[in-house]
Amino acid sequence: MQRPRRTAWGEGPGSPQEEGSGATWGSPPAQEEEEEEEGARAANEKEEEEEPLLRGIFQIGKQSCDVVLSPQRLSWRPIQPESPRGLPNRPKSLKVFVNPTSHRKEATHIYYEQVAPLFKLADIRTDVTVTEYEGHTLAVLEECDLTSFHGVVCVGGDGTASEVAHGLLLRAQMDVGKDCDDMFEPARAQIPLGIIPAGSTNILAHTLNGIQHVLTATLHIIMGHLQPVDMCSFSSPTKLLRFGFSCMFGFGSRTLALAEKHRWMPSNQRKDFAVIKTLARLKPEECELSFLPSKCLQHVVEENGRKQERRKHESSDRWQKIQGHFLNVSIMAIPCLCSMAPRGLAPNTRLDDGSIALIVVRNTSRPEFVKHLKRYSSVKNQFNFPFIETYVVEEVKVHIRTETEHATGDDLNPIDSGKKNYPWNIDGDLLAWPSKVHIRVHPQLITLYGENVNAVDNPKESCSCL
């Protein structure tokens, strides 16, 4: 059965008023004309009172409609002309990945009950893969014919989104025949990525959509709202390790490592337990950090080969170095909005300016470190402490100088220390990497469906980064 069209006024003699509390049939022409004008005025006043979150043109039935999403309602009404125009980025075919284990195994239900019907209403064809094992997404993206799709959508949490973004970029390098060595200039992803929040943590979707709402993220995809986003490459001295948006080493990674060992616990309890226990065993890492401060952005965003070469030549004497004992090191290409940090874990970072935030927390007392953590959820500056240093950079080289003594039993570091690998928190994923890692930002390396959101009111999403 065709879904009835919702309108804000009558459509002619003998037709019922669909909006309002009562429907009238066969009203006299003069009275009907007055009612139409009055209904139109009321609808316009109501729309002016409710500032829309999103607005776009959709085809409902055989008519083009003005669709408005406000904080209280989703409404639409027919418009002229009768065919959508001015939205060249609207996708018609999407490859969809659903992580069935995300957030109490709700991702599959969220997609088929809330997202798929809207895609069908917008006449978008989909090819859905429900992932069955770790790395399934990467395997599919390696073999998939991406030319038949206008975009890729993932339904899950931060780990799922990061894996799909990494897979898209690996595929882009494969398509152009580039080797993934340490100093390569990566090719951009061919098609955009959409993120439907359906995980225990959704910082990426949160940062792009402003509010944690499946409908908002879905409408961004349907309407083709595109946002170029910077990404980082993480490399060892010999090879590429990963593409990602953010990383933490120290407290942020040790907390995640402990939480991963207790996945049998409910999500919120697991995070609280991991934070408290890591704080009880708070230990610094002895590191050496070399970084290249950010400079004129036009040298970063332009693709002129000569300027890239000049940038490399000029940067040789701009490297700076700090070393010491650090409780936490954060390197972020996006602001990372979440409930714990409504202004972001890196609030001065932008999505597409070609720079990354380097946030260093030097060794201090446990009470002072806790004060720093509490500042993230307040309006006070979380970096206004003598033991915290912040930098805006283009590249960072992390060299862990010595091994840290690890506890026995419920070890905070599940990685085998004999292999000299260390836990890193990459977009909420726990990865074991060697003692030397090179992080570089690549401007606008991927395009995501969404908008550039700098702050969020009353966010409800939890955060696993700290």
Side-chain angles (χ1 to χ4, degrees):
M1 178 183 295
Q2 182 174 331
R3 185 176 182 177
R5 186 179 61 227
R6 180 180 179 183
T7 59
W9 52 80
E11 300 188 21
S15 64
Q17 284 292 97
E18 296 187 57
E19 289 262 320
S21 58
T24 59
W25 293 81
S27 302
Q31 180 182 349
E32 183 176 329
E33 187 173 331
E34 291 178 2
E35 290 176 351
E36 288 181 359
E37 294 177 357
E38 189 174 329
R41 284 195 301 270
N44 291 334
E45 289 175 0
K46 183 178 293 185
E47 288 181 4
E48 290 176 0
E49 292 175 0
E50 299 179 354
E51 183 177 353
L53 298 174
L54 290 171
R55 191 168 194 163
I57 300 173
F58 295 87
Q59 186 170 339
I60 300 178
K62 296 183 178 180
Q63 288 187 309
S64 297
C65 296
D66 178 19
V67 180
V68 179
L69 172 65
S70 70
Q72 285 77 31
R73 70 188 69 207
L74 174 67
S75 61
W76 61 89
R77 62 185 179 187
I79 61 171
Q80 298 292 338
E82 289 301 326
S83 60
R85 296 180 183 177
L87 293 162
N89 296 321
R90 288 185 60 187
K92 288 296 182 183
S93 179
L94 295 171
K95 176 62 185 176
V96 180
F97 292 95
V98 180
N99 182 355
T101 64
S102 287
H103 194 41
R104 300 189 299 272
K105 301 182 179 181
E106 293 178 354
T108 305
H109 173 79
I110 288 174
Y111 175 73
Y112 285 107
E113 295 296 326
Q114 301 181 42
V115 180
L118 291 177
F119 283 167
K120 184 176 181 181
L121 185 64
D123 196 26
I124 296 177
R125 300 184 303 276
T126 58
D127 181 77
V128 182
T129 296
V130 179
T131 57
E132 300 175 358
Y133 54 87
E134 185 177 355
H136 190 182
T137 298
L138 298 179
V140 172
L141 286 174
E142 184 177 355
E143 302 294 336
C144 183
D145 180 15
L146 293 180
T147 59
S148 60
F149 301 106
H150 297 137
V152 173
V153 173
C154 64
V155 186
D158 282 332
T160 303
S162 180
E163 182 181 3
V164 175
H166 174 65
L168 280 174
L169 288 170
L170 286 182
R171 174 59 185 269
Q173 313 319 307
M174 183 180 69
D175 288 343
V176 299
K178 286 197 173 185
D179 293 328
C180 297
D181 56 24
D182 179 44
M183 292 303 294
F184 81 123
E185 291 291 340
R188 288 180 170 87
Q190 298 177 352
I191 55 179
L193 169 63
I195 303 172
I196 303 295
S200 59
T201 60
N202 298 287
I203 290 179
L204 296 176
H206 201 156
T207 303
L208 287 164
N209 299 315
I211 57 176
Q212 276 310 299
H213 204 296
V214 172
L215 179 59
T216 306
T218 304
L219 291 181
H220 276 310
I221 296 170
I222 293 174
M223 291 188 283
H225 293 165
L226 299 180
Q227 170 64 48
V229 178
D230 302 339
M231 284 194 72
C232 296
S233 61
F234 302 88
S235 305
S236 72
T238 58
K239 65 178 181 178
L240 173 73
L241 299 171
R242 177 84 176 216
F243 289 106
F245 298 93
S246 66
C247 74
M248 286 186 179
F249 177 80
F251 179 79
S253 61
R254 290 165 70 82
T255 301
L256 178 62
L258 184 57
E260 287 296 307
K261 293 186 65 177
H262 295 79
R263 293 196 67 87
W264 53 270
M265 299 175 64
S267 177
N268 291 336
Q269 294 181 19
R270 181 173 71 244
K271 293 171 188 174
D272 292 342
F273 167 80
V275 168
I276 292 172
K277 194 161 187 178
T278 308
L279 282 173
R281 299 180 177 182
L282 191 63
K283 294 180 181 180
E285 301 283 357
E286 186 178 353
C287 299
E288 178 183 283
L289 303 176
S290 303
F291 56 90
L292 186 64
S294 180
K295 62 170 189 171
C296 183
L297 295 182
Q298 67 178 357
H299 290 267
V300 179
V301 298
E302 292 184 10
E303 293 186 289
N304 185 290
R306 188 176 354 180
K307 288 193 175 183
Q308 287 185 354
E309 290 297 323
R310 188 170 65 186
R311 168 190 162 205
K312 293 177 183 177
H313 175 74
E314 293 176 349
S315 68
S316 60
D317 59 350
R318 294 194 299 118
W319 282 90
Q320 299 182 21
K321 183 182 297 184
I322 59 175
Q323 59 184 8
H325 291 81
F326 305 117
L327 291 176
N328 193 71
V329 176
S330 300
I331 302 168
M332 299 182 170
I334 62 174
C336 294
L337 306 180
C338 63
S339 62
M340 176 184 168
R343 295 179 297 114
L345 297 174
N348 295 324
T349 308
R350 295 297 176 261
L351 296 177
D352 58 354
D353 66 355
S355 67
I356 48 180
L358 170 61
I359 304 167
V360 178
V361 182
R362 291 185 178 271
N363 193 21
T364 187
S365 67
R366 185 179 293 106
E368 287 298 301
F369 185 67
V370 171
K371 287 181 183 178
H372 158 62
L373 296 182
K374 289 182 176 180
R375 286 273 186 96
Y376 278 99
S377 60
S378 72
V379 296
K380 296 181 179 179
N381 184 355
Q382 62 262 42
F383 307 130
N384 189 23
F385 292 93
F387 53 87
I388 296 180
E389 302 170 20
T390 61
Y391 305 89
V392 180
V393 303
E394 297 174 11
E395 301 182 40
V396 182
K397 294 179 180 179
V398 180
H399 182 195
I400 304 170
R401 303 294 296 179
T402 61
E403 298 243 358
T404 302
E405 180 181 357
H406 301 298
T408 59
D410 280 336
D411 192 349
L412 295 180
N413 182 358
I415 310 305
D416 184 2
S417 60
K419 298 180 180 179
K420 296 184 179 179
N421 283 343
Y422 298 83
W424 286 74
N425 182 338
I426 309 297
D427 299 327
D429 270 352
L430 180 66
L431 299 175
W433 284 349
S435 61
K436 293 183 179 180
V437 178
H438 185 183
I439 301 100
R440 301 173 61 212
V441 66
H442 303 282
Q444 304 179 16
L445 191 60
I446 194 169
T447 301
L448 303 183
Y449 289 106
E451 293 181 334
N452 195 336
V453 178
N454 295 324
V456 181
D457 295 328
N458 298 322
K460 298 181 179 179
E461 188 53 51
S462 58
C463 171
S464 68
C465 285
L466 284 175

